[in-house]
Amino acid sequence: MTLLKVCGMRGEDHIMELGEVVCPDLMGFIFYKKSRRYVGEDFRLPDHFSKDIQKVGVFVNESQEKVIELSKKHDLDWVQLHGLESPEYCQSIRNAGRKVVKVIHIGEQSDVRKALQYQDSADRIMFETASKEWGGSGAIFNWEVLSEYRGIPYWLSGGIGPDRVQAIHEISGQSPEVIDVNSRFEISPGVKDIEVLKEFKLKLKSINHGEII
């Protein structure tokens, strides 16, 4: 089963509507101030936010103390580390009781091997398209390079749009545990097209049950 993560969410009303209509398995909130999808200083989730949706906080080269503070404040299920964080950094976040997803930026085939150094210090790996900025490029890397990956479960990100459901199913080797979608489903930064996402999740569900789209 491949799960759906919708990232770059902000705005309480929009978050709640998407959660109720789309019901993604995970929802990502960006705590990186330079991102156009930064949640803001006054971010908070309402008490009635669905407990069925896992909360993921996205951080980029942030201090360990700040990551731990915000992850506890917002009761995050996962901490996604998107920058140059070391294995030791990842382990310190895990030692604080948080599950860690370490992002590996793929620009060429050999970049997949960088995930090996995090096999013992992260709970999951995320493969993302390399870009000049920290994510958000909307570009897809060559998924064929994943055929050589053997390790802890991985999440897949980078330019995944409504037309990529069947291609996800056809990835050779180890299948992604989670697919992470963001900019290709946006009306504007942080604002998602809920109906398109709803249709995408239905297609993903069909694929998970072995149907051909």
Side-chain angles (χ1 to χ4, degrees):
M1 295 288 288
T2 300
L3 305 180
L4 175 63
K5 172 177 176 270
V6 180
C7 199
M9 293 298 299
R10 64 181 186 182
E12 182 176 325
D13 291 343
H14 187 55
I15 288 170
M16 292 306 298
E17 182 183 6
L18 190 143
E20 292 169 2
V21 176
V22 179
C23 302
D25 302 289
L26 306 95
M27 194 178 289
F29 309 100
I30 297 176
F31 292 90
Y32 179 50
K33 292 183 179 181
K34 293 183 180 181
S35 171
R36 293 183 296 170
R37 300 166 184 86
Y38 172 54
V39 292
E41 294 287 347
D42 58 350
F43 171 72
R44 66 176 295 276
L45 283 171
D47 294 336
H48 56 288
F49 181 79
S50 175
K51 297 186 183 302
D52 294 328
I53 301 174
Q54 298 179 58
K55 303 181 292 293
V56 184
V58 180
F59 300 89
V60 180
N61 301 324
E62 184 60 85
S63 71
Q64 297 174 28
E65 295 77 15
K66 190 67 172 179
V67 171
I68 293 169
E69 173 194 337
L70 290 174
S71 65
K72 291 181 177 179
K73 176 181 178 180
H74 300 293
D75 191 26
L76 299 176
D77 298 290
W78 295 88
V79 169
Q80 180 177 317
L81 300 175
H82 221 283
L84 300 173
E85 300 86 4
S86 68
E88 293 74 22
Y89 181 113
C90 294
Q91 187 59 56
S92 71
I93 302 300
R94 294 179 81 194
N95 291 343
R98 300 292 140 172
K99 292 185 290 187
V100 170
V101 183
K102 180 64 186 85
V103 177
I104 304 297
H105 302 274
I106 306 297
E108 54 188 55
Q109 184 168 353
S110 62
D111 289 337
V112 174
R113 299 170 194 159
K114 295 177 183 177
L116 298 177
Q117 63 183 304
Y118 294 96
Q119 296 298 299
D120 297 322
S121 57
D123 297 279
R124 298 291 188 271
I125 294 296
M126 174 183 283
F127 292 114
E128 163 74 286
T129 308
S131 66
K132 294 181 179 180
E133 299 179 353
W134 298 111
S137 68
I140 298 176
F141 66 90
N142 180 8
W143 291 351
E144 291 182 7
V145 304
L146 298 176
S147 63
E148 68 177 62
Y149 177 72
R150 301 291 184 274
I152 59 176
Y154 76 91
W155 299 4
L156 179 61
S157 185
I160 299 173
D163 60 337
R164 300 297 292 181
V165 178
Q166 187 64 40
I168 292 166
H169 177 68
E170 294 169 354
I171 292 174
S172 61
Q174 187 174 335
S175 299
E177 178 183 62
V178 172
I179 56 170
D180 178 294
V181 302
N182 193 345
S183 61
R184 290 296 182 104
F185 289 88
E186 286 188 330
I187 298 169
S188 61
V191 180
K192 305 297 188 285
D193 190 321
I194 290 178
E195 289 305 314
V196 174
L197 265 170
K198 181 180 178 181
E199 181 180 352
F200 182 79
K201 189 185 178 186
L202 289 173
K203 289 181 178 179
L204 181 62
K205 183 178 179 180
S206 297
I207 289 291
N208 281 331
H209 286 86
E211 299 175 19
I212 302 299
I213 302 295

